[in-house]
Amino acid sequence: AWYKALQTKQLRYYVLAGALFSASMQMHYLGITLAIVFAITYLFDMAIHKAQPIQHLWRMLCMVGAWAALLAPFLLFEAIHNFPNTRSVLLLNSNENTQTANRLGEVFSTFTHVVTYTMQQPLQENVSIILFACISIVALVATIKKQPIGYLCTAFVLMILVTSLYTGAKFPHYLGTFYILFYTIVSYIVMMVSRNKWARLALITVVMGAFMFLQAPNYRFLY
């Protein structure tokens, strides 16, 4: 919805993005990491596509209005129960692990969690660093070239960085948004390796074959 909003400038997509953002935050407070994605990508989009300030203000008001409208029941719940989730967000960066956590190490740890779960294979730290660096480079280059994948890569990198501020246990369902982004980015990189149709087909076949071979033992329902 956010990508369509930036692409088409239609208010309905800004409203939809705001509403879905509200829903995401209510599912888990880590959904607030999307706010950083919205802010940075919108500022970048404003720099590329010039418009009257009133137009930008109206779009943001529509988005924030939809966000606030769907958040109203949640805020009522918070007020009745002494703001338990709000206090959790405020304490996000002050749990006992934070005092000793290495920030850069936490970034790679978060990324490793994502890749390990999506691939169902342990990932060595040096490989994690290289892979994250590659995705960051793709994000930068694709964004400069105004390619749609740039938004997804930028969102992925920003969300990894912000989520790494949370040093508590990262359960698989906390990171749900990352999985589809990771698969999409990897698919894009695989497709960019070669322009030849048959080479692409062969590469896709090898990658998918290897993926299924590695995944199958972990799908217990197959038994």
Side-chain angles (χ1 to χ4, degrees), residues 28-33 85 87-99 101-111 113 158-175 178:
H28 194 278
Y29 55 78
L30 282 178
I32 202 170
T33 57
N85 291 288
R87 284 187 281 109
S88 294
V89 173
L90 294 176
L91 295 172
L92 180 66
N93 200 33
S94 61
N95 65 58
E96 59 183 6
N97 294 328
T98 306
Q99 305 304 316
N102 178 292
R103 285 301 180 203
L104 190 57
E106 195 66 36
V107 170
F108 295 128
S109 174
T110 302
F111 178 71
H113 271 82
L158 289 173
M159 288 166 67
I160 288 285
L161 294 175
V162 178
T163 304
S164 67
L165 296 176
Y166 174 74
T167 56
K170 295 180 178 68
F171 300 103
H173 64 278
Y174 283 13
L175 307 171
F178 291 99

Side-chain angles (χ1 to χ4, degrees), residues 3-216:
Y3 170 69
K4 291 292 288 184
L6 296 178
Q7 183 187 46
T8 66
K9 310 302 184 222
Q10 294 182 15
L11 289 180
R12 59 180 176 177
Y13 290 116
Y14 288 94
V15 171
L16 181 58
L20 293 174
F21 179 38
S22 178
S24 176
M25 283 181 58
Q26 294 177 61
M27 291 176 189
H28 194 278
Y29 55 78
L30 282 178
I32 202 170
T33 57
L34 287 169
I36 305 297
V37 176
F38 291 143
I40 293 179
T41 52
Y42 192 62
L43 287 172
F44 185 79
D45 189 73
M46 286 173 62
I48 296 177
H49 303 101
K50 304 298 182 182
Q52 295 295 324
I54 190 67
Q55 290 179 304
H56 290 302
L57 179 61
W58 177 237
R59 291 165 186 164
M60 284 299 96
L61 284 175
C62 288
M63 184 174 180
V64 172
W67 171 80
L70 267 73
L71 202 64
F74 171 77
L75 294 176
L76 180 62
F77 171 89
E78 287 288 281
I80 293 173
H81 295 89
N82 196 26
F83 300 95
N85 291 288
T86 302
R87 284 187 281 109
S88 294
V89 173
L90 294 176
L91 295 172
L92 180 66
N93 200 33
S94 61
N95 65 58
E96 59 183 6
N97 294 328
T98 306
Q99 305 304 316
T100 58
N102 178 292
R103 285 301 180 203
L104 190 57
E106 195 66 36
V107 170
F108 295 128
S109 174
T110 302
F111 178 71
T112 301
H113 271 82
V114 173
V115 179
T116 298
Y117 193 74
T118 51
M119 305 300 291
Q120 290 293 310
Q121 296 294 321
L123 188 68
Q124 294 182 353
E125 184 179 359
N126 56 344
V127 177
S128 175
I129 293 172
I130 293 172
L131 190 55
F132 185 71
C134 288
I135 291 177
S136 300
I137 292 170
V138 170
L140 180 62
V141 173
T143 302
I144 291 174
K145 291 185 176 181
K146 302 178 184 179
Q147 295 175 337
I149 194 68
Y151 286 106
L152 296 182
C153 290
T154 301
F156 183 83
V157 171
L158 289 173
M159 288 166 67
I160 288 285
L161 294 175
V162 178
T163 304
S164 67
L165 296 176
Y166 174 74
T167 56
K170 295 180 178 68
F171 300 103
H173 64 278
Y174 283 13
L175 307 171
T177 309
F178 291 99
Y179 307 139
I180 187 65
L181 284 174
F182 181 73
Y183 286 135
T184 305
I185 293 167
V186 171
S187 300
Y188 176 83
I189 293 173
V190 169
M191 290 294 287
M192 290 299 101
V193 169
S194 175
R195 297 287 182 180
N196 182 275
K197 175 183 176 181
W198 296 109
R200 278 183 173 180
L201 183 60
L203 185 58
I204 291 171
T205 302
V206 170
V207 170
M208 287 301 297
F211 178 77
M212 288 187 289
F213 177 79
L214 293 172
Q215 293 286 301

